[in-house]
Amino acid sequence: MAPPAALVRSARQLWQCQWRLLMGGLGPADGQGRYRRPAGAFTALPPVPEDAAEAGSHVLIVGRSCPWAHRAWITWSLRGLAPMVDTVVVVPDPDAGRWRFSEPFEGCATLLELYRRCGADPRARATVPALYSRRTGTILVNESARLIELLNAWPAAPEAPDLAPPADLPAITAWRERLQGDVNDGVYRCGFARNQTAYDEAEAALFAALGAVEAALAAGGESGGWLCGGAGPSLADVVLFPTLIRMELVYAPLFGCSRRPLWQLPRLWDWRRRFHGLEGVAATCFPDAWRTDYFGALFPLHPSGIVPAGPDLATLVGSPPPAAPGAPSR
């Protein structure tokens, strides 16, 4: 027997009130219901440390499920920085809503403890990635956009790629700015929107940006394999990949980023396949952790905590299926 209509209305109103309260803690929004990413704690770009080339002098702290940490992890891998910069992987603690170390690090059990010990504002969130200096006992930077720039300038082997060659900097900067707002933050603006208008705005910007990437890759022809047209990937490619590789696994089903399946953007699909095939990139991808952490931890978006089945990662980095005639519409 169906519950009385009055009970359903009351339950819905109560849940919406609780949902808005929980969402305020998960992802703050402006007065129009648009998600706004909070500022970090260590955001300034520091100079390359004097001891940067010393083995084990620095530690890159990352989390497997975090796309912002993923971009730093990829940069570290592509640049071949393992001999100089160690990595430590933190794991989520959904009940406490924080990252913790699998083993104590510098005497700290959680990332929050390390942040506080390094002088972070007590109101600041303890997030990944973070670059820690063992010599000074401080976090140098945790803003991923600045951190990947620092890692690209880090002393590396002569054969290490420059992910921001001077000739391509204008294009790299332009793409990074658009991708950061419309794609990297864009999927969160879809998922954390407080109302239909905020969602529609974010979703339209997201797929417009993906369409622009598809057009740019197509304009490059057979020789334009990377976003800025160079012989290899740039920081623009680096920041795009963590979002795109999570699209079908997380962002489409959980955040509502499902207007157009990626296989209908064949240049972008091929770009993702080739980027995943770069040496060291696959080792930074953990699809099971992505799905478990997103579906299991984001309670306001997925209260059941059930982790649904999803496509195997191998099917997303291979050849696309034949495109259906016409593009879907809304």
Side-chain angles (χ1 to χ4, degrees):
M1 181 177 177
L7 179 60
V8 172
R9 285 195 299 271
S10 297
R12 177 176 293 179
Q13 291 171 354
L14 177 60
W15 166 241
Q16 286 178 339
C17 290
Q18 293 175 330
W19 176 78
R20 292 183 181 279
L21 180 63
L22 291 168
M23 287 294 289
L26 178 64
D30 64 15
Q32 287 72 48
R34 304 183 186 96
Y35 168 67
R36 290 291 180 262
R37 181 170 297 279
F42 304 94
T43 59
L45 176 63
V48 176
E50 294 180 358
D51 60 341
E54 296 179 14
S57 58
H58 293 80
V59 181
L60 178 62
I61 303 172
V62 296
R64 291 186 177 93
S65 56
C66 176
W68 313 102
H70 197 183
R71 57 169 63 175
W73 204 345
I74 289 171
T75 305
W76 171 89
S77 181
L78 292 178
R79 295 273 296 158
L81 299 182
M84 290 79 73
V85 181
D86 295 336
T87 55
V88 167
V89 179
V90 290
V91 295
D93 181 351
D95 292 335
R98 62 187 60 175
W99 296 98
R100 60 178 176 82
F101 295 103
S102 298
E103 298 180 355
F105 176 77
E106 300 289 286
C108 298
T110 69
L111 188 61
L112 181 62
E113 291 178 44
L114 183 66
Y115 267 58
R116 297 296 179 263
R117 203 185 72 178
C118 292
D121 187 315
R123 298 167 296 180
R125 302 179 307 152
T127 60
V128 288
L131 185 66
Y132 179 80
S133 168
R134 283 195 168 109
R135 178 175 62 85
T136 62
T138 58
I139 293 174
L140 299 182
V141 60
N142 86 316
E143 168 53 57
S144 64
R146 305 288 77 80
L147 179 47
I148 61 175
E149 295 169 0
L150 180 61
L151 293 178
N152 189 59
W154 209 266
E159 64 273 16
D162 181 2
L163 300 172
D168 296 335
L169 271 179
I172 292 171
T173 300
W175 274 116
R176 286 182 62 193
E177 288 178 354
R178 181 167 188 182
L179 294 174
Q180 179 78 17
D182 292 346
V183 178
N184 305 139
D185 265 339
V187 292
Y188 285 87
R189 290 175 179 171
C190 290
F192 294 173
R194 299 300 198 275
N195 54 57
Q196 189 68 49
T197 300
Y199 166 80
D200 289 344
E201 180 183 279
E203 192 271 348
L206 167 63
F207 281 94
L210 295 182
V213 174
E214 175 76 4
L217 293 172
E222 295 302 319
S223 61
W226 303 108
L227 189 51
C228 295
S234 70
L235 290 181
D237 298 278
V238 168
V239 301
L240 179 60
F241 180 78
T243 301
L244 265 290
I245 197 64
R246 289 163 170 78
M247 188 63 77
E248 294 93 335
L249 292 163
V250 175
Y251 300 139
L254 184 61
F255 286 179
C257 304
S258 52
R259 172 200 292 253
R260 192 174 184 186
L262 207 62
W263 59 263
Q264 291 189 350
L265 299 167
R267 297 281 184 168
L268 200 50
W269 180 288
D270 184 64
W271 170 91
R272 183 174 66 176
R273 176 189 61 79
R274 288 183 293 101
F275 194 99
H276 182 267
L278 294 171
E279 185 176 358
V281 171
T284 67
C285 296
F286 300 89
D288 290 342
W290 302 341
R291 291 175 62 78
T292 298
D293 293 351
Y294 273 90
F295 285 98
L298 298 184
F299 174 79
L301 299 182
H302 192 63
S304 73
I306 295 171
V307 180
D312 188 279
L313 182 61
T315 67
L316 305 179
V317 292
S319 299
S329 59
R330 292 187 64 196

